[in-house]
């Protein structure tokens, strides 16, 4: 057994442990156990500094999870966009491929609770059908391995999947979506990255939510991946009490760049059964984005996205930078709230190539302005 597997074995998971260690009411702990089991491995546990801190909130079951049985279990309609088991095909050229229902830790905010936790939730018998589907659909050039956490598979099993995918010539890139560098960095071993680098181009997308998750261990895991030539992106979920604060997010994204991880998406938390207590108003996300762009390296600025309910996919949202626009000009504001009139190419100029004098625009001031959706923290 490898170290990371021992740490999974030694995770806190039982009702008794939840009652003893975290003071949960036994009845509540029993209900939570049925709803979505706990797995807090010794590494992630060691990151908790005090009860209710951002690490605790992500990992320790909470009574609030039981309060909203009305919300959808599958908010993104992943299951209805699944042509064969284990595959979600929502976008033209790429698919999500669920390879396991296990994770290194069970995140209390997970939107895939229906798929994750108990090993019967994703069947390995579906693998062959999934490979056949990808083989038959020549438009698929990007396969995103997901789950659960694909790095819960053994190196041997993972290699079987990768080599099979690589035998399909139209598959150009393979992405691995994994939270292991964050929740159990011991999984990223030299042996694993050596194997992965045989199947390039491989990308990893990981999932840091808070600066305290950037430790010597997680930094080392990312260093191993990056040194193997694997670009690492990060997806953060915006969550109340965890990271709904521009300073926390700024620190997180700056520190991620230092360990060669590029912020990719900042997600609005989806309406999901058992996880709605984490949700924040959309404007909280927009305000955070406003405090990133221009203030810190553009490399550290991800897309803020909402996942459209019912399977519409990810939609990016931006703070309001455009104050006015017509055929002749656009009026914009920068990160310091200074406004600028920018002369546009008029339609007839675009057609004829005859360029007019721009000077008047630099002298004019905007006469119309749209409300800026910002500074809404007045309360
Ligand atoms: C997020 C997602 C992808 C990948 O989307 P990118 O924007 O290319 O990162 C693919 N399929 C599904 C179903 C997804 O939810
Ligand atoms: S690692 Fe991902 S899939 Fe697994 S419990 Fe956490 S959020 Fe859900």
């Amino acid at each position: 057994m490898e170290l990371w597997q021992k740490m999974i074995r030694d995770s806190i998971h039982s009702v008794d442990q939840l009652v003893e260690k975290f003071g949960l009411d036994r009845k509540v702990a029993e209900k939570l156990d049925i709803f979505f089991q706990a797995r807090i491995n010794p590494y992630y546990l060691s990151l908790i500094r005090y009860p209710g801190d951002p690490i605790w909130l992500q990992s320790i079951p909470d009574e609030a999870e039981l309060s909203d049985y009305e919300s959808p279990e599958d908010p993104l309609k992943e299951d209805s966009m699944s042509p064969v088991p284990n595959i979600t095909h929502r976008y033209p050229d790429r698919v999500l491929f669920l390879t396991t229902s296990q994770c290194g830790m069970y995140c209390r905010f997970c939107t895939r609770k229906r798929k994750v936790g108990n090993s019967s939730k994703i069947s390995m018998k579906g693998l062959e059908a999934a490979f056949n589907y990808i083989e038959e659909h020549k438009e698929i050039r990007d396969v995103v391995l997901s789950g659960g956490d694909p790095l819960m598979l053994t190196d041997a099993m993972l290699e079987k999947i990768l080599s099979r995918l690589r035998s399909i010539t139209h598959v150009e890139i393979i992405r691995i979506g994994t939270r292991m560098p964050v929740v159990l960095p011991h999984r990223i071993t030299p042996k694993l990255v050596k194997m992965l680098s045989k199947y390039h181009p491989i990308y990893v997308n990981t999932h840091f939510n808070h600066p305290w998750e950037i430790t010597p261990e997680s930094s080392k895991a990312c260093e191993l991946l990056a040194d193997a030539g694997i670009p690492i992106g990060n997806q953060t979920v915006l969550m109340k009490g965890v990271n709904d604060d521009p300073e926390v997010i700024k620190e997180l994204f700056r520190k991620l760049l230092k360990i060669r991880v590029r912020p990719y998406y900042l997600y609005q938390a989806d309406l999901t059964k058992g996880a709605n207590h984490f949700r924040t108003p959309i404007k909280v996300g927009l305000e955070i984005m406003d405090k990133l762009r221009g203030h810190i390296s553009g490399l550290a600025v991800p897309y803020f996205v909402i996942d459209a309910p019912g399977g519409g996919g990810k939609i990016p949202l931006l703070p309001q930078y455009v104050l006015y626009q017509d055929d002749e000009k656009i009026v914009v504001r920068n990160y310091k709230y200074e406004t600028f009139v920018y002369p546009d190419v008029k339609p007839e100029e675009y057609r004829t190539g005859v360029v007019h004098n721009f000077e008047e625009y630099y002298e004019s001031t905007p006469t119309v302005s749209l409300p800026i959706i910002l500074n809404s923290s007045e309360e």
Side-chain angles (χ1 to χ4, degrees):
M1 216 186 250
E2 291 185 47
L3 175 62
W4 67 273
Q5 290 167 317
K6 290 200 185 102
M7 292 173 81
I8 295 283
R9 187 196 58 195
D10 296 340
S11 294
I12 290 176
H13 61 91
S14 72
V15 169
D16 283 346
Q17 288 170 313
L18 293 176
V19 172
E20 271 167 39
K21 299 225 179 238
F22 308 113
L24 263 75
D25 175 82
R26 179 167 296 274
K27 284 236 157 52
V28 170
E30 279 167 1
K31 279 193 200 158
L32 284 165
D33 183 50
I34 295 167
F35 172 58
F36 184 55
Q37 74 178 87
R39 173 177 283 169
I40 311 127
N41 70 59
Y43 167 77
Y44 203 77
L45 180 68
S46 78
L47 303 184
I48 292 179
R49 299 185 187 181
Y50 54 84
D53 78 14
I55 305 295
W56 173 296
L57 291 178
Q58 291 185 67
S59 56
I60 311 300
D62 193 288
E63 191 170 2
E65 294 173 41
L66 300 171
S67 65
D68 57 350
Y69 271 95
E70 296 301 308
S71 291
E73 279 198 309
D74 180 16
L76 311 181
K77 293 278 177 290
E78 290 183 328
D79 296 348
S80 66
M81 292 189 166
S82 177
V84 295
N86 301 23
I87 294 276
T88 301
H89 196 173
R90 168 173 300 144
Y91 296 108
D93 67 342
R94 53 211 190 277
V95 290
L96 213 59
F97 184 179
L98 307 189
T99 52
T100 170
S101 55
Q102 299 285 303
C103 300
M105 172 189 72
Y106 293 130
C107 311
R108 305 320 298 178
F109 55 85
C110 185
T111 56
R112 279 208 198 119
K113 287 176 178 168
R114 71 193 189 285
K115 289 278 184 196
V116 166
N118 148 358
S119 53
S120 66
K121 290 184 185 174
I122 294 181
S123 158
M124 281 300 109
K125 287 190 216 109
L127 283 190
E128 206 42 47
F131 289 129
N132 290 338
Y133 181 85
I134 297 168
E135 233 151 30
E136 287 159 14
H137 290 79
K138 303 230 180 318
E139 71 276 19
I140 298 170
R141 34 164 298 280
D142 177 2
V143 176
V144 183
L145 296 182
S146 183
D149 197 313
L151 294 189
M152 280 300 286
L153 301 171
T154 60
D155 292 0
M157 184 63 198
L158 195 59
E159 180 155 23
K160 261 191 207 158
I161 292 175
L162 292 174
S163 67
R164 180 69 201 275
L165 287 175
R166 272 286 163 249
S167 74
I168 305 172
T169 50
H170 55 269
V171 172
E172 295 172 3
I173 64 169
I174 299 172
R175 296 195 252 176
I176 300 175
T178 174
R179 218 183 165 204
M180 285 298 200
V182 185
V183 299
L184 190 50
H186 311 74
R187 172 65 183 106
I188 314 301
T189 60
K191 189 167 140 272
L192 172 73
V193 298
K194 192 161 169 237
M195 183 278 281
L196 293 178
S197 64
K198 287 197 282 177
Y199 298 95
H200 270 313
I202 297 266
Y203 287 73
V204 160
N205 243 339
T206 190
H207 184 163
F208 284 89
N209 286 329
H210 193 277
W212 295 354
E213 292 170 338
I214 301 177
T215 63
E217 290 87 349
S218 59
S219 304
K220 179 74 196 169
C222 294
E223 181 187 325
L224 279 170
L225 291 166
D227 283 350
I230 300 171
I232 314 163
N234 186 70
Q235 327 203 127
T236 294
V237 181
L238 196 53
M239 283 181 282
K240 183 170 152 188
V242 174
N243 56 13
D244 55 341
D245 173 340
E247 291 310 313
V248 170
I249 291 282
K250 239 192 235 176
E251 181 188 350
L252 173 65
F253 291 173
R254 274 200 315 256
K255 287 186 168 163
L256 285 176
L257 285 190
K258 283 175 72 180
I259 60 168
R260 287 185 280 171
V261 175
R262 168 91 212 260
Y264 178 55
Y265 283 139
L266 175 66
Y267 285 104
Q268 166 74 10
D270 292 316
L271 194 71
T272 307
K273 181 168 151 180
N276 293 334
H277 53 296
F278 286 115
R279 299 187 80 223
T280 51
I282 304 259
K283 71 178 182 185
V284 169
L286 288 174
E287 274 173 22
I288 289 175
M289 292 307 294
D290 190 55
K291 293 194 166 119
L292 297 181
R293 173 61 66 194
H295 297 274
I296 58 171
S297 312
L299 275 176
V301 182
Y303 287 102
F304 176 49
V305 293
I306 54 175
D307 233 314
K314 300 174 185 72
I315 300 174
L317 299 182
L318 269 184
Q320 187 69 266
Y321 291 107
V322 178
L323 308 180
Y324 175 79
Q325 184 173 22
D326 62 24
D327 273 356
E328 301 185 357
K329 61 181 177 296
I330 185 167
V331 182
V332 289
R333 60 97 183 165
N334 71 2
Y335 73 106
K336 292 193 277 193
Y337 289 83
E338 297 160 338
T339 52
F340 301 86
V341 181
Y342 182 98
D344 204 353
V345 178
K346 293 178 194 166
E348 76 270 18
E349 289 171 354
Y350 192 43
R351 263 196 322 273
T352 62
V354 179
V355 178
H356 293 88
N357 184 0
F358 285 132
E359 263 161 40
E360 53 180 303
Y361 298 115
Y362 287 112
E363 285 154 12
S364 71
T365 43
T367 49
V368 188
S369 72
L370 299 174
I372 308 181
I373 316 170
L374 286 169
N375 285 338
S376 39
S377 42
E378 66 279 342
E379 55 276 358

